[in-house]
Amino acid sequence: METEKKGYEAEEKKDSPSKAGENEKLWSSRKIQPLSISMGQKGGLEYQEISKEAPKASKLHRVSIIPLIFLIFYEVSGGPFGVEDSVRAAGPFLAIVGFIVFPFLWCIPEALITAELATMFPEDGGYVVWVSSALGPYWGFLQGWMKWLSGVIDNALYPVLFLDYLKSGIPALSEGIPRALAALALTIALTYMNYRGLTIVGWTAVCLGVFSMLPFVVMGFVAIPSLHPSRWFVLVNPRTINWSLYVNTLFWNYNNYDSISTLAGEVDNPRKTLPKALFYGLILVVTGCLCPLIIGTGALPLDRERWTDGYYSDIAKIIGGVWLRCWVQGASALSNMGMFVTEMSTDSYQLLGMAERGMLPEVFAKRSRYGTPLLGILLSASGVLFLSWMSFQEILAADNFLYCIGMLLEFLAFIKLRMKYPMASRPYKIPLGTVGAILMLTPPTTLICVLIAFASFKVMLLSLGGILIGCALQPCLKFAEKKSWMRFSTSPDLPDFETDEQENDGEALIH
């Protein structure tokens, strides 16, 4: 920070020596940040970057592009595990078509928006800062609450999937106390891994990702003599299609690109690294879901009832034998571990980012000796254990419902920032105007409405209850701050987006 300050002062002295004293005062202020702001044409703003990113963790602990790609991979899908229900719901043809078409309807628009906004706001708050900048701090807090709750619900799935793949080899893990104890032990072990540092999590994700996808590469070669392309085009009776399960399965396996934005403050050179990582991560996600699905549906005759969690291990046994089955089971277990630690990382760093913005008590901004947000990690782990009683389908639907509401706020924030601050510096910008951006968001917005309509009454009730808690929580926290019951503070290293409406033309948007 001191080096950046000197560089900033030197640059300013070169242009105007009289400004040096003023800049010193700016640096001593808690709210004013090292940003050069100049008025653009048509009422816009142009922001010239002075510091590359808000200083967070040490450079030694920053995440590089390769671990970031695999963190995105695990944040979104983690491979084909969980894809099986799409075949049970709608048959092989619709399942394959869904996983081909869905990236154009959802993945690409979400990844593009994440690339643009995460490079504008390279800090751990991620989408919370986007929504706060566009719609105000209340909506930013509500966005953070819904996304965190959605992430915790999502994370509750992975111990379930982990044990589902192991139970065929270890029947004792099917139910009862052994299953509960195994889930508890797994949660504790993976929580500790998050505590030890994001760099460890990132390179662990790389190793787990390679190991998780290798057996499907082998299975693809072994299955070549057994493939029958006609099996890919089998259509099932429309009356037997479970559209809710089908759409929710596609959505769950292909969403969450925006979650990586909550790690932007921990990334090495985020303005260049994030767009590249999102591009390669998207390719890895689509390939990892689609190729095993094509192999499995083409190699075996259709038996829809068997296509459920853990069926890929049975396919591996039929195609290659017990050794391949064991490999797939191990890959599934490790893949779910990778998804768990990645999701917990983004959830906990999101809470840290909110605390740095003064939305949560400052205790959430405290880092452990490894630079990790200890309280955020513990709170996220507690939420996972609390939600373990829900079934897989209920967890999946509740996760998608909350995520959809949050994405609507992100879409609105994206359009509003484009319209309100057209001249703001965007290190990566989608090559579309405002009208084009709205058209791009029309298909994913329609999909969100479909998912919400498919939600069961129980899921809708639980999700809306969670949202109402968030609506009431923000005023309660503000009241606690006013009464000094809790201590809140805004990090001096972050730009301020809370400005008066009268001053919006001069100081409302930051990098």
Side-chain angles (χ1 to χ4, degrees), residues 49 54 79 106 148 193 264 284 315 321 351 444 466:
E49 178 186 358
W106 183 266
W148 178 81
M193 185 181 296
L284 186 60
I315 295 175
L351 296 181

Side-chain angles (χ1 to χ4, degrees), residues 180-486:
L181 291 177
L184 177 62
L186 179 65
T187 301
I188 292 173
L190 298 181
T191 299
Y192 178 74
M193 185 181 296
N194 271 276
Y195 166 73
R196 287 301 303 268
L198 189 59
T199 303
I200 294 177
V201 171
W203 284 107
T204 299
V206 174
C207 297
L208 294 179
V210 172
F211 181 83
S212 297
M213 295 310 300
L214 273 179
F216 292 98
V217 175
V218 174
M219 189 165 72
F221 285 108
V222 174
I224 290 176
S226 305
L227 291 177
H228 295 279
S230 60
R231 293 170 178 167
W232 297 329
F233 302 95
V234 174
L235 292 171
V236 299
N237 187 339
R239 296 180 180 179
T240 66
I241 296 177
N242 186 339
W243 290 107
S244 176
L245 180 61
Y246 173 68
V247 176
N248 273 292
T249 301
L250 291 174
F251 189 75
W252 181 68
N253 279 281
Y254 270 164
N255 71 16
N256 262 23
Y257 287 93
D258 63 325
S259 295
I260 205 67
S261 66
T262 63
L263 302 178
E266 315 300 316
V267 173
D268 185 23
N269 195 6
R271 291 185 169 89
K272 292 184 178 180
T273 304
L274 275 169
K276 293 179 182 179
L278 283 163
F279 173 75
Y280 293 118
L282 190 151
I283 294 175
L284 186 60
V285 166
V286 174
T287 303
C289 288
L290 186 59
C291 291
L293 180 62
I294 291 174
I295 295 168
T297 54
L300 300 178
L302 177 62
D303 186 352
R304 285 175 64 187
E305 295 305 315
R306 297 188 65 185
W307 277 88
T308 186
D309 302 328
Y311 186 52
Y312 274 124
S313 63
D314 295 335
I315 295 175
K317 181 181 178 181
I318 295 171
I319 293 176
V322 176
W323 66 272
L324 189 55
R325 175 188 181 181
C326 293
W327 194 358
V328 169
Q329 286 178 333
S332 169
L334 294 179
S335 176
N336 283 286
M337 289 172 58
M339 288 187 283
F340 186 99
V341 296
T342 303
E343 181 68 61
M344 181 170 286
S345 293
T346 56
D347 293 344
S348 56
Y349 276 98
Q350 177 201 315
L351 296 181
L352 181 146
M354 293 176 70
E356 289 181 334
R357 280 293 183 181
M359 295 181 180
L360 292 175
E362 68 173 15
V363 66
F364 283 93
K366 302 292 185 182
R367 294 176 182 255
S368 70
R369 59 176 175 164
Y370 301 106
T372 51
L374 178 59
L375 187 56
I377 290 172
L378 293 176
L379 192 61
S380 298
S382 300
V384 169
L385 293 175
F386 177 75
L387 293 167
S388 60
W389 58 273
M390 296 175 68
S391 69
F392 179 88
Q393 286 76 18
E394 289 173 338
I395 293 174
L396 182 64
D399 172 33
N400 286 345
F401 188 94
L402 288 169
Y403 189 84
C404 284
I405 301 298
M407 286 307 302
L408 288 176
L409 286 178
E410 285 185 29
F411 292 166
L412 181 60
F414 171 71
I415 296 299
K416 187 168 183 180
L417 288 171
R418 274 291 190 96
M419 296 174 66
K420 193 173 183 180
Y421 306 110
M423 302 299 292
S425 173
R426 289 171 167 84
Y428 175 86
K429 184 177 181 179
I430 302 172
L432 295 172
T434 302
V435 175
I438 293 173
L439 291 176
M440 181 188 74
L441 294 179
T442 301
T445 302
T446 304
L447 179 62
I448 286 175
C449 295
V450 171
L451 279 165
I452 292 175
F454 277 141
S456 66
F457 178 75
K458 179 180 178 181
V459 167
M460 192 174 297
L461 190 64
L462 289 172
S463 301
L464 290 176
I467 293 173
L468 289 176
I469 292 173
C471 292
L473 186 58
Q474 199 266 357
C476 291
L477 289 174
K478 286 296 182 183
F479 182 76
E481 180 182 12
K482 183 178 179 180
K483 293 292 185 179
S484 299
W485 295 343
M486 297 179 182

Side-chain angles (χ1 to χ4, degrees), residues 137-149:
Y138 177 82
W139 291 103
F141 177 88
L142 189 60
Q143 169 78 347
W145 167 257
M146 288 189 296
K147 285 287 192 166
W148 178 81
L149 192 59

